[in-house]
């Protein structure tokens, strides 16, 4: 980290004039959030823009885009709005916490309060579960159930555990994720919600109220009265369905060299096990289907040298590169944002090859 840098990494930003989404490299400093375009694995100076944090307000979770559940919204003192998307719930919350700390850096008491809030647990008094459920059913601002898939089965009218936690916080029914998880567990205890599928049903057996509901993007839940299940017959399960049924082990933004044009683009990579696959998504698109992926069975993964441009890499792209060679001898060239991140990805992939 450079001096004065609180956090840096990829986020996907909504454009101001044309509302398209593009991956940018963000650097958080005490008073400013800078963002850069990346070319050839290096950030292009000067920055494409800067967000002044003095007087800024932050909304997280931000649920204004239904197909982008991992958003942070920043509103500057001049009412300019920025929408930033992270690659995972953990990364979104980490960015939000650091940005909030930077916004209130001149108020030590406020920063201390934030740290206490992050690690505290307190249920608000006189909770009305019926009021929460009524709000959840609201057609404009409530939870929108949709078909979701788990391990080859399609479950109608369901929602993700992490999405419900986000909604409880954004609707001011809970002040922290731990509090929201406990609220959701109480809603299950009172039979307002039902767990659906292997992941969420398994959590019920833990016995601990705070752990019965999963703040997870692979655990499914539904309103008790709308439970329907459609099991896909095994002969109709497509290969892509099987590929995407594995448990998510790791995810994050990485740069990847294209196979045809050999240009480098930022992709959101998702590593799954059982079965072991590595998929990549275009973060500029709202469609949540992978644009590519491959089985890790029989694959080889290795770091590439940092002194110069390695063989097979096009352009002046250097540093933090690694290569995955699949069983059918397809070569994938990928760049992490740091040596530590590269090492983490290589270790995680090796365990599944």
């Amino acid at each position: 980290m450079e001096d004065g840098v609180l956090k840096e990494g990829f986020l996907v930003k909504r454009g101001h004039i044309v509302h398209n989404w593009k991956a940018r490299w963000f650097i958080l400093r005490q008073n400013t959030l800078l963002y850069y375009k990346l070319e050839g694995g290096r950030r292009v100076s000067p920055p494409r823009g800067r967000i002044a944090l003095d007087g800024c307000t932050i909304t997280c979770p931000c649920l204004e885009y239904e197909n982008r559940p991992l958003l942070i919204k920043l509103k500057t003192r001049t009412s300019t709005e920025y929408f930033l998307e992270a690659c995972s719930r953990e990364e979104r919350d980490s960015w939000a916490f650091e940005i909030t700390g930077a916004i209130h850096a001149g108020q030590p008491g406020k920063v201390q309060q934030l740290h206490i809030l992050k690690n505290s647990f307190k249920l608000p008094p006189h909770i009305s579960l019926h009021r929460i459920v009524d709000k959840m059913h609201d057609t404009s601002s409530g939870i929108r159930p949709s078909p979701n898939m788990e391990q080859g089965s399609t479950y109608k009218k369901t929602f993700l555990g992490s999405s419900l936690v986000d909604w409880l916080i954004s609707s001011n029914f809970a002040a922290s994720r731990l509090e929201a998880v406990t609220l959701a567990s109480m809603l299950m205890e009172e039979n307002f919600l039902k767990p659906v599928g292997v992941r969420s049903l398994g959590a019920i057996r833990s016995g601990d109220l705070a752990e019965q509901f999963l703040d997870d993007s692979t655990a499914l839940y539904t309103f008790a009265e709308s439970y329907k299940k459609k099991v896909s017959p095994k002969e109709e399960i497509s290969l892509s369905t099987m590929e995407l049924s594995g448990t998510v082990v790791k995810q994050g933004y990485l740069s990847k060299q294209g196979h045809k044009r050999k240009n480098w683009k930022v992709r959101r990579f998702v590593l799954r096990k059982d079965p072991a696959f590595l998929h990549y998504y275009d973060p500029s698109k709202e469609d949540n289907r992978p644009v590519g992926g491959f089985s890790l069975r029989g694959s080889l993964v290795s770091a590439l040298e940092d002194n110069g441009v390695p063989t097979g890499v096009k352009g002046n792209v250097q540093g933090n590169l690694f290569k995955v060679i699949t069983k059918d001898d397809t070569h994938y060239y990928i760049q992490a944002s740091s040596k530590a991140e590269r090492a983490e990805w290589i270790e995680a992939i090796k365990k599944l090859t």
Side-chain angles (χ1 to χ4, degrees):
M1 287 281 181
E2 299 173 11
D3 289 342
V5 174
L6 302 176
K7 187 175 176 65
E8 61 180 320
F10 284 115
L11 291 169
V12 178
K13 175 185 168 293
R14 192 194 75 171
H16 277 303
I17 301 171
V18 179
H19 287 178
N20 54 356
W21 298 81
K22 291 184 178 179
R24 294 287 183 249
W25 184 260
F26 279 78
I27 294 181
L28 175 65
R29 296 183 181 274
Q30 201 65 69
N31 303 308
T32 313
L33 186 60
L34 304 167
Y35 54 94
Y36 297 79
K37 185 177 180 181
L38 251 67
E39 287 181 1
R42 301 176 186 276
R43 67 173 185 252
V44 180
S45 292
R48 294 295 292 250
R50 63 183 69 231
I51 303 170
L53 297 178
D54 184 33
C56 218
T57 58
I58 182 169
T59 304
C60 180
C62 172
L63 307 182
E64 291 191 27
Y65 285 83
E66 185 177 352
N67 293 327
R68 293 184 179 274
L70 300 173
L71 284 180
I72 298 168
K73 176 182 172 183
L74 294 177
K75 189 172 183 179
T76 67
R77 188 189 290 275
T78 57
S79 295
T80 304
E81 292 183 342
Y82 293 87
F83 291 88
L84 312 175
E85 184 178 37
C87 60
S88 67
R89 194 262 299 164
E90 292 79 9
E91 189 66 9
R92 179 200 63 187
D93 291 352
S94 173
W95 271 104
F97 187 74
E98 294 294 342
I99 291 171
T100 304
I103 291 172
H104 298 292
Q107 304 168 266
K110 182 70 174 179
V111 176
Q112 184 181 16
Q113 182 183 341
L114 284 168
H115 281 275
I116 294 171
L117 178 63
K118 185 182 181 184
N119 299 303
S120 69
F121 168 58
K122 182 182 179 184
L123 274 176
H126 313 301
I127 295 169
S128 170
L129 296 182
H130 287 279
R131 177 169 169 258
I132 295 174
V133 173
D134 286 344
K135 188 78 181 288
M136 287 172 68
H137 280 86
D138 188 286
T139 53
S140 61
S141 60
I143 294 283
R144 298 188 185 111
S146 61
N148 284 287
M149 191 173 293
E150 185 196 33
Q151 298 188 6
S153 296
T154 301
Y155 298 90
K156 295 182 177 180
K157 296 186 177 180
T158 55
F159 39 84
L160 308 178
S162 54
S163 296
L164 178 56
V165 170
D166 284 348
W167 182 86
L168 287 168
I169 294 172
S170 67
S171 301
N172 296 317
F173 289 118
S176 67
R177 301 198 79 83
L178 183 57
E179 188 175 303
V181 166
T182 305
L183 264 180
S185 296
M186 292 170 66
L187 289 167
M188 284 200 304
E189 291 253 315
E190 297 299 320
N191 295 318
F192 291 112
L193 301 180
K194 284 187 72 169
V196 176
V198 176
R199 288 274 293 137
S200 56
L201 286 169
I204 291 292
R205 304 186 188 101
S206 70
D208 185 347
L209 179 67
E211 295 176 0
Q212 286 184 359
F213 184 92
L214 295 178
D215 179 8
D216 195 286
S217 59
T218 61
L220 302 179
Y221 298 89
T222 188
F223 296 121
E225 72 278 9
S226 63
Y227 173 68
K228 291 182 182 178
K229 176 182 175 183
K230 174 191 171 187
V231 180
S232 304
K234 285 188 178 180
E235 60 268 21
E236 292 182 10
I237 297 177
S238 66
L239 179 61
S240 61
T241 301
M242 292 302 296
E243 288 180 13
L244 299 171
S245 67
T247 303
V248 175
V249 176
K250 185 175 177 60
Q251 55 186 324
Y253 292 130
L254 299 167
S255 293
K256 174 188 164 295
Q257 179 174 279
H259 283 294
K260 294 179 181 177
R261 295 178 60 193
K262 306 297 183 185
N263 54 348
W264 286 80
K265 291 186 176 178
V266 176
R267 295 290 183 243
R268 179 171 67 89
F269 278 78
V270 178
L271 180 64
R272 295 180 172 90
K273 68 175 183 178
D274 303 326
F277 273 84
L278 184 60
H279 292 97
Y280 48 94
Y281 300 72
D282 184 345
S284 68
K285 304 287 191 266
E286 291 195 0
D287 188 351
N288 198 32
R289 289 180 295 185
V291 294
F294 48 91
S295 171
L296 291 174
R297 187 178 294 276
S299 295
L300 298 172
V301 58
S302 61
L304 299 176
E305 66 270 19
D306 284 337
N307 54 341
V309 180
T311 304
V313 172
K314 301 297 181 183
N316 189 29
V317 180
Q318 303 177 39
N320 309 319
L321 291 158
F322 65 99
K323 177 171 67 173
V324 181
I325 305 174
T326 65
K327 193 175 181 180
D328 63 3
D329 200 37
T330 304
H331 292 224
Y332 290 86
Y333 295 93
I334 302 169
Q335 185 181 42
S337 59
S338 66
K339 287 184 179 180
E341 185 184 44
R342 176 175 64 179
E344 289 174 8
W345 274 100
I346 290 175
E347 183 182 358
I349 292 170
K350 276 184 176 177
K351 290 178 179 178
L352 302 179
T353 57

